[in-house]
mmCIF file of all heavy atoms in Angstrom:
data_model
loop_
_atom_site.group_PDB
_atom_site.id
_atom_site.type_symbol
_atom_site.label_atom_id
_atom_site.label_comp_id
_atom_site.label_asym_id
_atom_site.label_seq_id
_atom_site.Cartn_x
_atom_site.Cartn_y
_atom_site.Cartn_z
ATOM 1 N N VAL K 1 57.946 95.428 88.170
ATOM 2 C CA VAL K 1 57.408 94.123 88.833
ATOM 3 C C VAL K 1 56.252 94.455 89.781
ATOM 4 O O VAL K 1 55.249 93.886 89.727
ATOM 5 C CB VAL K 1 58.646 93.519 89.648
ATOM 6 C CG1 VAL K 1 57.996 92.310 90.442
ATOM 7 C CG2 VAL K 1 59.705 93.041 88.672
ATOM 8 N N TYR K 2 56.402 95.496 90.583
ATOM 9 C CA TYR K 2 55.363 95.878 91.436
ATOM 10 C C TYR K 2 54.100 96.307 90.671
ATOM 11 O O TYR K 2 52.956 95.927 91.012
ATOM 12 C CB TYR K 2 55.738 97.090 92.393
ATOM 13 C CG TYR K 2 56.643 96.667 93.495
ATOM 14 C CD1 TYR K 2 57.972 96.466 93.467
ATOM 15 C CD2 TYR K 2 56.060 96.396 94.774
ATOM 16 C CE1 TYR K 2 58.843 96.114 94.519
ATOM 17 C CE2 TYR K 2 56.843 95.895 95.892
ATOM 18 C CZ TYR K 2 58.145 95.853 95.715
ATOM 19 O OH TYR K 2 58.954 95.474 96.772
ATOM 20 N N ASP K 3 54.280 97.105 89.597
ATOM 21 C CA ASP K 3 53.206 97.535 88.763
ATOM 22 C C ASP K 3 52.450 96.367 88.134
ATOM 23 O O ASP K 3 51.246 96.323 88.165
ATOM 24 C CB ASP K 3 53.741 98.505 87.679
ATOM 25 C CG ASP K 3 54.216 99.775 88.246
ATOM 26 O OD1 ASP K 3 54.006 100.098 89.473
ATOM 27 O OD2 ASP K 3 54.929 100.562 87.427
ATOM 28 N N GLU K 4 53.180 95.364 87.610
ATOM 29 C CA GLU K 4 52.593 94.270 86.860
ATOM 30 C C GLU K 4 51.774 93.438 87.973
ATOM 31 O O GLU K 4 50.654 92.984 87.728
ATOM 32 C CB GLU K 4 53.596 93.380 86.277
ATOM 33 C CG GLU K 4 54.123 93.898 84.973
ATOM 34 C CD GLU K 4 53.077 93.999 83.884
ATOM 35 O OE1 GLU K 4 52.214 93.050 83.733
ATOM 36 O OE2 GLU K 4 52.951 94.985 83.201
ATOM 37 N N ILE K 5 52.357 93.183 89.167
ATOM 38 C CA ILE K 5 51.626 92.428 90.142
ATOM 39 C C ILE K 5 50.397 93.167 90.619
ATOM 40 O O ILE K 5 49.291 92.561 90.733
ATOM 41 C CB ILE K 5 52.570 92.080 91.354
ATOM 42 C CG1 ILE K 5 53.700 91.199 90.903
ATOM 43 C CG2 ILE K 5 51.760 91.412 92.499
ATOM 44 C CD1 ILE K 5 54.842 91.047 91.878
ATOM 45 N N THR K 6 50.514 94.443 90.914
ATOM 46 C CA THR K 6 49.408 95.212 91.298
ATOM 47 C C THR K 6 48.256 95.219 90.242
ATOM 48 O O THR K 6 47.139 95.178 90.538
ATOM 49 C CB THR K 6 49.881 96.678 91.636
ATOM 50 O OG1 THR K 6 50.831 96.649 92.674
ATOM 51 C CG2 THR K 6 48.707 97.536 92.080
ATOM 52 N N ARG K 7 48.697 95.367 88.971
ATOM 53 C CA ARG K 7 47.664 95.459 87.913
ATOM 54 C C ARG K 7 46.874 94.114 87.759
ATOM 55 O O ARG K 7 45.717 94.087 87.571
ATOM 56 C CB ARG K 7 48.369 95.779 86.608
ATOM 57 C CG ARG K 7 47.457 95.980 85.446
ATOM 58 C CD ARG K 7 48.126 96.469 84.211
ATOM 59 N NE ARG K 7 49.095 95.607 83.532
ATOM 60 C CZ ARG K 7 48.739 94.561 82.857
ATOM 61 N NH1 ARG K 7 47.458 94.282 82.546
ATOM 62 N NH2 ARG K 7 49.623 93.809 82.296
ATOM 63 N N ARG K 8 47.591 93.029 87.947
ATOM 64 C CA ARG K 8 46.971 91.762 87.695
ATOM 65 C C ARG K 8 46.335 91.099 88.931
ATOM 66 O O ARG K 8 45.394 90.414 88.856
ATOM 67 C CB ARG K 8 48.022 90.741 87.164
ATOM 68 C CG ARG K 8 48.537 91.157 85.795
ATOM 69 C CD ARG K 8 49.822 90.412 85.511
ATOM 70 N NE ARG K 8 50.512 91.022 84.343
ATOM 71 C CZ ARG K 8 50.628 90.375 83.184
ATOM 72 N NH1 ARG K 8 50.105 89.218 83.048
ATOM 73 N NH2 ARG K 8 51.254 90.949 82.235
ATOM 74 N N HIS K 9 46.980 91.341 90.040
ATOM 75 C CA HIS K 9 46.571 90.812 91.315
ATOM 76 C C HIS K 9 46.588 91.885 92.453
ATOM 77 O O HIS K 9 47.553 91.879 93.305
ATOM 78 C CB HIS K 9 47.353 89.603 91.745
ATOM 79 C CG HIS K 9 47.366 88.472 90.692
ATOM 80 N ND1 HIS K 9 46.358 87.610 90.508
ATOM 81 C CD2 HIS K 9 48.316 88.225 89.702
ATOM 82 C CE1 HIS K 9 46.656 86.827 89.473
ATOM 83 N NE2 HIS K 9 47.818 87.094 89.096
ATOM 84 N N PRO K 10 45.680 92.791 92.419
ATOM 85 C CA PRO K 10 45.738 94.018 93.306
ATOM 86 C C PRO K 10 45.815 93.675 94.785
ATOM 87 O O PRO K 10 46.393 94.370 95.514
ATOM 88 C CB PRO K 10 44.518 94.842 92.959
ATOM 89 C CG PRO K 10 43.800 94.132 91.895
ATOM 90 C CD PRO K 10 44.501 92.827 91.536
ATOM 91 N N GLU K 11 45.255 92.455 95.169
ATOM 92 C CA GLU K 11 45.251 92.171 96.596
ATOM 93 C C GLU K 11 46.511 91.431 97.039
ATOM 94 O O GLU K 11 46.699 91.150 98.224
ATOM 95 C CB GLU K 11 43.999 91.359 96.847
ATOM 96 C CG GLU K 11 42.669 91.969 96.602
ATOM 97 C CD GLU K 11 42.487 93.257 97.372
ATOM 98 O OE1 GLU K 11 42.812 93.312 98.603
ATOM 99 O OE2 GLU K 11 42.035 94.290 96.879
ATOM 100 N N ALA K 12 47.296 91.083 96.112
ATOM 101 C CA ALA K 12 48.506 90.210 96.455
ATOM 102 C C ALA K 12 49.536 91.040 97.174
ATOM 103 O O ALA K 12 49.791 92.166 96.865
ATOM 104 C CB ALA K 12 49.141 89.687 95.161
ATOM 105 N N GLU K 13 50.048 90.371 98.190
ATOM 106 C CA GLU K 13 51.217 91.001 98.942
ATOM 107 C C GLU K 13 52.468 90.702 98.162
ATOM 108 O O GLU K 13 52.727 89.634 97.670
ATOM 109 C CB GLU K 13 51.284 90.302 100.346
ATOM 110 C CG GLU K 13 52.380 90.888 101.210
ATOM 111 C CD GLU K 13 52.147 92.298 101.596
ATOM 112 O OE1 GLU K 13 50.957 92.614 101.858
ATOM 113 O OE2 GLU K 13 53.164 93.025 101.770
ATOM 114 N N VAL K 14 53.298 91.793 98.014
ATOM 115 C CA VAL K 14 54.558 91.644 97.278
ATOM 116 C C VAL K 14 55.674 91.636 98.266
ATOM 117 O O VAL K 14 55.836 92.575 99.082
ATOM 118 C CB VAL K 14 54.763 92.913 96.266
ATOM 119 C CG1 VAL K 14 56.018 92.730 95.535
ATOM 120 C CG2 VAL K 14 53.573 92.952 95.411
ATOM 121 N N ILE K 15 56.371 90.535 98.242
ATOM 122 C CA ILE K 15 57.467 90.301 99.244
ATOM 123 C C ILE K 15 58.795 90.176 98.451
ATOM 124 O O ILE K 15 59.231 89.129 98.167
ATOM 125 C CB ILE K 15 57.205 89.078 100.117
ATOM 126 C CG1 ILE K 15 55.835 89.196 100.736
ATOM 127 C CG2 ILE K 15 58.308 88.955 101.177
ATOM 128 C CD1 ILE K 15 55.318 87.982 101.375
ATOM 129 N N ILE K 16 59.400 91.362 98.196
ATOM 130 C CA ILE K 16 60.671 91.417 97.472
ATOM 131 C C ILE K 16 61.555 92.311 98.238
ATOM 132 O O ILE K 16 61.166 93.496 98.497
ATOM 133 C CB ILE K 16 60.547 91.965 96.002
ATOM 134 C CG1 ILE K 16 59.529 90.990 95.250
ATOM 135 C CG2 ILE K 16 61.802 92.087 95.353
ATOM 136 C CD1 ILE K 16 59.148 91.504 93.870
ATOM 137 N N PRO K 17 62.796 91.876 98.692
ATOM 138 C CA PRO K 17 63.570 92.757 99.499
ATOM 139 C C PRO K 17 64.169 93.857 98.629
ATOM 140 O O PRO K 17 64.629 93.725 97.503
ATOM 141 C CB PRO K 17 64.779 91.819 99.915
ATOM 142 C CG PRO K 17 64.701 90.681 99.009
ATOM 143 C CD PRO K 17 63.305 90.523 98.470
ATOM 144 N N PRO K 18 63.905 95.133 99.097
ATOM 145 C CA PRO K 18 64.465 96.275 98.356
ATOM 146 C C PRO K 18 65.945 96.272 98.362
ATOM 147 O O PRO K 18 66.530 95.811 99.291
ATOM 148 C CB PRO K 18 63.902 97.508 99.135
ATOM 149 C CG PRO K 18 62.841 96.992 99.998
ATOM 150 C CD PRO K 18 63.151 95.541 100.278
ATOM 151 N N ARG K 19 66.512 96.807 97.236
ATOM 152 C CA ARG K 19 68.007 96.878 97.193
ATOM 153 C C ARG K 19 68.450 97.790 98.326
ATOM 154 O O ARG K 19 67.724 98.638 98.825
ATOM 155 C CB ARG K 19 68.435 97.477 95.855
ATOM 156 C CG ARG K 19 67.970 96.546 94.695
ATOM 157 C CD ARG K 19 68.305 97.174 93.395
ATOM 158 N NE ARG K 19 67.680 96.445 92.302
ATOM 159 C CZ ARG K 19 68.210 95.435 91.602
ATOM 160 N NH1 ARG K 19 69.379 94.998 92.015
ATOM 161 N NH2 ARG K 19 67.550 94.914 90.690
ATOM 162 N N GLY K 20 69.674 97.669 98.699
ATOM 163 C CA GLY K 20 70.257 98.526 99.734
ATOM 164 C C GLY K 20 70.297 100.013 99.443
ATOM 165 O O GLY K 20 70.238 100.829 100.243
ATOM 166 N N THR K 21 70.332 100.312 98.074
ATOM 167 C CA THR K 21 70.308 101.654 97.702
ATOM 168 C C THR K 21 68.969 102.240 97.402
ATOM 169 O O THR K 21 68.826 103.377 96.958
ATOM 170 C CB THR K 21 71.160 101.783 96.326
ATOM 171 O OG1 THR K 21 70.576 100.896 95.423
ATOM 172 C CG2 THR K 21 72.563 101.430 96.638
ATOM 173 N N ALA K 22 67.876 101.496 97.632
ATOM 174 C CA ALA K 22 66.524 101.910 97.391
ATOM 175 C C ALA K 22 66.133 103.132 98.263
ATOM 176 O O ALA K 22 66.518 103.149 99.412
ATOM 177 C CB ALA K 22 65.531 100.693 97.541
ATOM 178 N N VAL K 23 65.318 103.963 97.665
ATOM 179 C CA VAL K 23 64.880 105.115 98.383
ATOM 180 C C VAL K 23 63.341 105.213 98.193
ATOM 181 O O VAL K 23 62.783 104.781 97.182
ATOM 182 C CB VAL K 23 65.477 106.493 97.943
ATOM 183 C CG1 VAL K 23 66.900 106.470 98.254
ATOM 184 C CG2 VAL K 23 65.263 106.714 96.462
ATOM 185 N N VAL K 24 62.667 105.889 99.164
ATOM 186 C CA VAL K 24 61.213 106.100 99.096
ATOM 187 C C VAL K 24 60.896 106.958 97.935
ATOM 188 O O VAL K 24 61.590 107.969 97.658
ATOM 189 C CB VAL K 24 60.729 106.688 100.450
ATOM 190 C CG1 VAL K 24 59.195 107.038 100.313
ATOM 191 C CG2 VAL K 24 60.929 105.767 101.594
ATOM 192 N N SER K 25 59.889 106.675 97.145
ATOM 193 C CA SER K 25 59.445 107.407 95.987
ATOM 194 C C SER K 25 59.000 108.794 96.418
ATOM 195 O O SER K 25 58.626 109.004 97.506
ATOM 196 C CB SER K 25 58.411 106.728 95.173
ATOM 197 O OG SER K 25 57.185 106.720 95.865
ATOM 198 N N GLU K 26 58.908 109.755 95.494
ATOM 199 C CA GLU K 26 58.541 111.104 95.784
ATOM 200 C C GLU K 26 57.072 111.125 96.207
ATOM 201 O O GLU K 26 56.788 111.915 97.132
ATOM 202 C CB GLU K 26 58.752 112.007 94.524
ATOM 203 C CG GLU K 26 60.281 112.284 94.241
ATOM 204 C CD GLU K 26 60.334 113.161 93.120
ATOM 205 O OE1 GLU K 26 59.412 113.941 92.806
ATOM 206 O OE2 GLU K 26 61.470 113.219 92.514
ATOM 207 N N SER K 27 56.276 110.338 95.607
ATOM 208 C CA SER K 27 54.847 110.340 96.035
ATOM 209 C C SER K 27 54.679 109.620 97.351
ATOM 210 O O SER K 27 53.746 109.883 98.054
ATOM 211 C CB SER K 27 54.042 109.697 94.917
ATOM 212 O OG SER K 27 54.309 108.336 94.836
ATOM 213 N N GLY K 28 55.490 108.691 97.597
ATOM 214 C CA GLY K 28 55.392 107.967 98.900
ATOM 215 C C GLY K 28 54.296 107.028 98.981
ATOM 216 O O GLY K 28 53.895 106.559 100.128
ATOM 217 N N THR K 29 53.643 106.622 97.855
ATOM 218 C CA THR K 29 52.465 105.780 97.939
ATOM 219 C C THR K 29 52.758 104.367 97.344
ATOM 220 O O THR K 29 51.781 103.626 97.315
ATOM 221 C CB THR K 29 51.351 106.450 97.192
ATOM 222 O OG1 THR K 29 51.753 106.715 95.765
ATOM 223 C CG2 THR K 29 50.883 107.821 97.809
ATOM 224 N N MET K 30 53.943 104.154 96.828
ATOM 225 C CA MET K 30 54.175 102.843 96.233
ATOM 226 C C MET K 30 54.200 101.728 97.285
ATOM 227 O O MET K 30 54.539 102.013 98.372
ATOM 228 C CB MET K 30 55.525 102.885 95.451
ATOM 229 C CG MET K 30 55.466 103.820 94.241
ATOM 230 S SD MET K 30 57.052 103.881 93.324
ATOM 231 C CE MET K 30 57.261 102.144 93.028
ATOM 232 N N ARG K 31 53.854 100.500 96.908
ATOM 233 C CA ARG K 31 53.813 99.417 97.822
ATOM 234 C C ARG K 31 55.162 99.178 98.371
ATOM 235 O O ARG K 31 55.351 98.844 99.565
ATOM 236 C CB ARG K 31 53.357 98.163 97.085
ATOM 237 C CG ARG K 31 51.877 98.282 96.577
ATOM 238 C CD ARG K 31 51.658 97.128 95.713
ATOM 239 N NE ARG K 31 50.763 96.214 96.473
ATOM 240 C CZ ARG K 31 50.372 95.009 95.983
ATOM 241 N NH1 ARG K 31 50.750 94.595 94.819
ATOM 242 N NH2 ARG K 31 49.645 94.243 96.716
ATOM 243 N N ARG K 32 56.238 99.355 97.532
ATOM 244 C CA ARG K 32 57.574 99.118 97.943
ATOM 245 C C ARG K 32 57.941 100.202 99.075
ATOM 246 O O ARG K 32 58.772 99.804 99.897
ATOM 247 C CB ARG K 32 58.459 99.342 96.799
ATOM 248 C CG ARG K 32 59.865 99.088 96.936
ATOM 249 C CD ARG K 32 60.542 99.076 95.491
ATOM 250 N NE ARG K 32 61.856 99.275 95.577
ATOM 251 C CZ ARG K 32 62.578 100.324 95.097
ATOM 252 N NH1 ARG K 32 61.898 101.351 94.633
ATOM 253 N NH2 ARG K 32 63.810 100.365 95.203
ATOM 254 N N ASP K 33 57.382 101.357 99.015
ATOM 255 C CA ASP K 33 57.702 102.376 100.021
ATOM 256 C C ASP K 33 57.340 101.946 101.424
ATOM 257 O O ASP K 33 58.081 102.287 102.356
ATOM 258 C CB ASP K 33 56.973 103.683 99.655
ATOM 259 C CG ASP K 33 57.460 104.302 98.419
ATOM 260 O OD1 ASP K 33 58.575 104.022 97.985
ATOM 261 O OD2 ASP K 33 56.712 105.127 97.810
ATOM 262 N N ALA K 34 56.316 101.223 101.583
ATOM 263 C CA ALA K 34 55.896 100.637 102.804
ATOM 264 C C ALA K 34 57.022 99.724 103.411
ATOM 265 O O ALA K 34 57.343 99.805 104.618
ATOM 266 C CB ALA K 34 54.612 99.951 102.788
ATOM 267 N N HIS K 35 57.563 98.892 102.541
ATOM 268 C CA HIS K 35 58.707 98.028 102.942
ATOM 269 C C HIS K 35 59.910 98.825 103.336
ATOM 270 O O HIS K 35 60.519 98.612 104.342
ATOM 271 C CB HIS K 35 59.078 97.133 101.839
ATOM 272 C CG HIS K 35 58.037 96.159 101.370
ATOM 273 N ND1 HIS K 35 57.272 95.420 102.212
ATOM 274 C CD2 HIS K 35 57.536 95.814 100.124
ATOM 275 C CE1 HIS K 35 56.383 94.673 101.649
ATOM 276 N NE2 HIS K 35 56.583 94.916 100.312
ATOM 277 N N LEU K 36 60.191 99.935 102.569
ATOM 278 C CA LEU K 36 61.337 100.775 102.907
ATOM 279 C C LEU K 36 61.189 101.521 104.241
ATOM 280 O O LEU K 36 62.097 101.587 105.030
ATOM 281 C CB LEU K 36 61.580 101.749 101.748
ATOM 282 C CG LEU K 36 62.140 101.194 100.469
ATOM 283 C CD1 LEU K 36 62.032 102.205 99.381
ATOM 284 C CD2 LEU K 36 63.542 100.648 100.651
ATOM 285 N N ARG K 37 60.008 102.023 104.504
ATOM 286 C CA ARG K 37 59.657 102.627 105.821
ATOM 287 C C ARG K 37 59.896 101.643 106.936
ATOM 288 O O ARG K 37 60.433 102.038 107.996
ATOM 289 C CB ARG K 37 58.348 103.262 105.765
ATOM 290 C CG ARG K 37 58.322 104.538 104.939
ATOM 291 C CD ARG K 37 57.058 105.261 105.199
ATOM 292 N NE ARG K 37 56.761 106.220 104.115
ATOM 293 C CZ ARG K 37 56.063 105.929 102.926
ATOM 294 N NH1 ARG K 37 55.475 104.766 102.831
ATOM 295 N NH2 ARG K 37 55.923 106.786 102.053
ATOM 296 N N THR K 38 59.395 100.426 106.772
ATOM 297 C CA THR K 38 59.459 99.462 107.837
ATOM 298 C C THR K 38 60.978 99.126 108.111
ATOM 299 O O THR K 38 61.375 99.021 109.236
ATOM 300 C CB THR K 38 58.722 98.154 107.498
ATOM 301 O OG1 THR K 38 57.365 98.512 107.292
ATOM 302 C CG2 THR K 38 58.818 97.121 108.575
ATOM 303 N N ILE K 39 61.718 98.910 107.021
ATOM 304 C CA ILE K 39 63.188 98.654 107.195
ATOM 305 C C ILE K 39 63.851 99.828 107.896
ATOM 306 O O ILE K 39 64.695 99.664 108.751
ATOM 307 C CB ILE K 39 63.854 98.342 105.836
ATOM 308 C CG1 ILE K 39 63.193 97.025 105.332
ATOM 309 C CG2 ILE K 39 65.296 98.441 105.899
ATOM 310 C CD1 ILE K 39 63.573 96.752 103.878
ATOM 311 N N GLU K 40 63.470 101.117 107.463
ATOM 312 C CA GLU K 40 64.159 102.283 108.168
ATOM 313 C C GLU K 40 63.815 102.313 109.632
ATOM 314 O O GLU K 40 64.682 102.612 110.452
ATOM 315 C CB GLU K 40 63.590 103.596 107.520
ATOM 316 C CG GLU K 40 64.179 103.931 106.191
ATOM 317 C CD GLU K 40 63.561 105.160 105.532
ATOM 318 O OE1 GLU K 40 62.726 105.749 106.207
ATOM 319 O OE2 GLU K 40 63.909 105.475 104.442
ATOM 320 N N ARG K 41 62.603 101.943 110.019
ATOM 321 C CA ARG K 41 62.132 102.028 111.474
ATOM 322 C C ARG K 41 62.718 100.824 112.279
ATOM 323 O O ARG K 41 63.095 101.097 113.382
ATOM 324 C CB ARG K 41 60.660 102.127 111.553
ATOM 325 C CG ARG K 41 60.141 103.509 111.361
ATOM 326 C CD ARG K 41 58.634 103.539 111.646
ATOM 327 N NE ARG K 41 57.970 104.124 110.503
ATOM 328 C CZ ARG K 41 57.037 103.587 109.703
ATOM 329 N NH1 ARG K 41 56.597 102.394 110.065
ATOM 330 N NH2 ARG K 41 56.510 104.171 108.699
ATOM 331 N N HIS K 42 62.527 99.707 111.688
ATOM 332 C CA HIS K 42 62.792 98.490 112.581
ATOM 333 C C HIS K 42 63.892 97.592 112.088
ATOM 334 O O HIS K 42 64.246 96.626 112.745
ATOM 335 C CB HIS K 42 61.476 97.660 112.478
ATOM 336 C CG HIS K 42 60.378 98.393 112.964
ATOM 337 N ND1 HIS K 42 60.115 98.831 114.240
ATOM 338 C CD2 HIS K 42 59.205 98.818 112.287
ATOM 339 C CE1 HIS K 42 59.001 99.481 114.324
ATOM 340 N NE2 HIS K 42 58.414 99.615 113.148
ATOM 341 N N GLY K 43 64.485 97.886 110.914
ATOM 342 C CA GLY K 43 65.570 97.053 110.409
ATOM 343 C C GLY K 43 65.069 95.985 109.433
ATOM 344 O O GLY K 43 63.985 95.620 109.417
ATOM 345 N N ARG K 44 66.044 95.468 108.645
ATOM 346 C CA ARG K 44 65.701 94.518 107.559
ATOM 347 C C ARG K 44 65.222 93.191 108.156
ATOM 348 O O ARG K 44 64.381 92.557 107.656
ATOM 349 C CB ARG K 44 66.914 94.339 106.668
ATOM 350 C CG ARG K 44 66.592 93.544 105.449
ATOM 351 C CD ARG K 44 67.713 93.555 104.431
ATOM 352 N NE ARG K 44 67.825 94.841 103.731
ATOM 353 C CZ ARG K 44 67.270 95.088 102.535
ATOM 354 N NH1 ARG K 44 66.563 94.220 101.951
ATOM 355 N NH2 ARG K 44 67.423 96.292 102.037
ATOM 356 N N ILE K 45 65.830 92.714 109.275
ATOM 357 C CA ILE K 45 65.494 91.448 109.844
ATOM 358 C C ILE K 45 64.043 91.596 110.362
ATOM 359 O O ILE K 45 63.215 90.579 110.160
ATOM 360 C CB ILE K 45 66.467 91.091 111.006
ATOM 361 C CG1 ILE K 45 67.895 90.899 110.496
ATOM 362 C CG2 ILE K 45 65.981 89.804 111.705
ATOM 363 C CD1 ILE K 45 68.018 89.834 109.473
ATOM 364 N N ALA K 46 63.638 92.607 110.956
ATOM 365 C CA ALA K 46 62.225 92.736 111.429
ATOM 366 C C ALA K 46 61.240 92.717 110.285
ATOM 367 O O ALA K 46 60.189 92.157 110.341
ATOM 368 C CB ALA K 46 62.109 93.983 112.277
#
């Protein structure tokens, strides 16, 4: 989903809540990783 959105609309913000079991990718550069880091630091509500 992230790949398709990025390919077609690179400037679009992707707002999809990561699953509770989601982990940061090895490369750490995926758009979803930024969401996961924010959730780790500040919580899901923030």
